[in-house]
Amino acid sequence: MTATTVKISLKRTPQDYKWTKPPEWCPGCGHFGILQALLQVFAELDMDPTRTVLVSGIGCSSRLPHYVRTVSAHTIHGRAIPFAIGLKLANPSLEVMVVGGDGDLFAIGGNHILGAGRRNVDFTVLLMDNAVYGLTRGQAGPTLPLGMQPKALSKPNPHADLNPLLVALASGFTFIARAYSYDIKYTAKIIKEAVLHKGSAIVQIFSPCVTYNNIMTREWYEKRVYKLDNEPGWDPVVHDEKEDYEKRKRAIEKILDPDRFALGILYKNELVPTFEERYASMYDPNYPKMPPAIQPVEKDGRSVIDFYRLMADRLL
């Protein structure tokens, strides 16, 4: 008899990250594509589910963490980003991602986008953009164009639409990209690049709402989207600080195009120090090795913090 060697691959597959609970989205919703793309990214990078954290707020998109086998936090409306930043700064070894809709992240949560960009924390924001509040019956979201009237609105939208990528670029995000949920393979590619980026990354993912937004449909988007990968000479990466102005300028031109929507990486700059690096260099060189999450807080049942020393400057 001849012994047969059986090789067993321990590499995880997308199915390994999928939770048993079926998604509670309308049939045909673009969010299904984003979920599948995210599962593919987890598998391709063989991400540790116990060290991968998905954080969301409120809305249809914010249900996504319920459907994956990772650590997750379903927080309150508009507050996913500060929660995620707290997690990342407490334990920089975690891979932290925020998932949310345009309303959650850029209406009630808009101010936190500004703070995240200024800090350049090493985490990823996935903006699942359908331009309406799908969970609460289709009101106008902050990215719905002025004058547009989907079927849930009794009158045309009186508000000017917000450009989320322009806001993110202006506030300091160092990775700006866009994807389209029905192109799962390409969306996975862009998300993967965002996760691997060193610094604050945001990906706007067009995700049509099939129930309430009867104007910005799959057909509507597919007449307008195109891939920057196919443009000769397109290079969004800042290789030298002197290139930064020109790369931002080119990104803004693409972001502001009202007729065509560029998909792909619009801007990438890893020359900017992350907040974690800034904190270590300015305040605590031991921070990377001993972040707050792993610092001892008690010994033999007693706090290791000297209260009077901690409060010395306030007790004078």
Side-chain angles (χ1 to χ4, degrees):
M1 297 180 64
T2 304
T4 302
T5 302
V6 179
K7 293 184 178 180
I8 301 176
S9 174
L10 298 179
K11 183 175 173 60
R12 300 178 183 91
T13 68
Q15 193 66 26
D16 293 326
Y17 295 93
K18 189 175 183 180
W19 191 244
T20 54
K21 180 180 176 64
E24 296 178 356
W25 293 316
C26 301
C29 175
H31 294 353
F32 284 98
I34 299 173
L35 173 60
Q36 186 57 43
L38 197 56
L39 296 174
Q40 289 185 20
V41 172
F42 288 162
E44 286 180 23
L45 297 178
D46 198 25
M47 295 171 67
D48 182 350
T50 67
R51 307 200 66 77
T52 302
V53 187
L54 284 182
V55 184
S56 68
I58 298 298
C60 294
S61 55
S62 293
R63 292 173 173 170
L64 189 146
H66 293 268
Y67 311 137
V68 296
R69 292 181 183 273
T70 64
V71 180
S72 64
H74 194 162
T75 70
I76 59 177
H77 202 188
R79 303 298 179 257
I81 284 179
F83 193 99
I85 289 176
L87 286 171
K88 182 65 179 182
L89 296 185
N91 191 348
S93 69
L94 298 176
E95 187 62 59
V96 179
M97 305 177 70
V98 172
V99 291
D102 51 290
D104 189 63
L105 294 177
F106 279 86
I108 187 172
N111 184 56
H112 299 304
I113 286 286
L114 303 181
R118 291 175 59 213
R119 294 182 180 95
N120 194 34
V121 174
D122 187 16
F123 78 143
T124 303
V125 178
L126 301 183
L127 167 61
M128 300 163 69
D129 188 354
N130 58 21
V132 295
Y133 289 92
L135 189 66
T136 51
R137 306 299 178 90
Q139 299 94 331
T143 59
L144 186 72
L146 173 68
M148 192 170 283
Q149 187 180 359
K151 63 182 181 181
L153 301 186
S154 60
K155 297 179 181 179
N157 177 30
H159 304 284
D161 54 310
L162 185 73
N163 191 311
L165 295 189
L166 191 62
V167 172
L169 182 63
S171 66
F173 274 79
T174 51
F175 182 99
I176 309 285
R178 192 187 274 151
Y180 173 58
S181 64
Y182 286 115
D183 190 338
I184 297 173
K185 184 177 179 179
Y186 193 71
T187 297
K189 174 185 175 181
I190 299 302
I191 293 175
K192 181 179 178 180
E193 291 292 333
V195 172
L196 294 174
H197 174 72
K198 182 176 72 71
S200 290
I202 185 168
V203 182
Q204 178 187 24
I205 309 174
F206 294 131
S207 185
C209 174
V210 295
T211 300
Y212 294 112
N213 195 336
N214 59 318
I215 298 178
M216 301 169 76
T217 62
R218 179 172 187 167
E219 292 74 24
W220 187 90
Y221 276 113
E222 291 182 359
K223 290 178 181 178
R224 293 165 173 81
V225 297
Y226 70 99
K227 296 177 181 177
L228 289 168
D229 300 30
N230 299 327
E231 291 217 337
W234 178 257
D235 179 12
V237 180
V238 177
H239 303 281
D240 184 281
E241 291 180 357
K242 296 178 182 179
E243 298 179 341
D244 190 54
Y245 174 78
E246 190 61 34
K247 293 295 173 75
R248 285 175 176 267
K249 182 180 176 181
R250 293 186 67 194
I252 290 172
E253 290 173 353
K254 297 295 184 182
I255 291 171
L256 289 181
D257 189 338
D259 302 314
R260 303 177 70 220
F261 302 143
L263 304 181
I265 301 173
L266 291 143
Y267 175 80
K268 179 178 180 178
N269 185 356
E270 292 189 318
L271 303 179
V272 180
T274 65
F275 189 83
E276 299 90 313
E277 291 172 337
R278 297 175 200 173
Y279 189 87
S281 64
M282 296 173 68
Y283 299 117
D284 183 5
N286 292 320
Y287 169 66
K289 295 181 180 179
M290 189 61 67
I294 63 173
Q295 291 180 14
V297 295
E298 62 86 23
K299 183 178 181 180
D300 298 329
R302 301 189 65 177
S303 173
V304 299
I305 305 298
D306 185 329
F307 175 79
Y308 290 100
R309 182 179 179 183
L310 179 68
M311 302 294 291
D313 62 329
R314 303 182 188 183
L315 296 176
L316 295 177

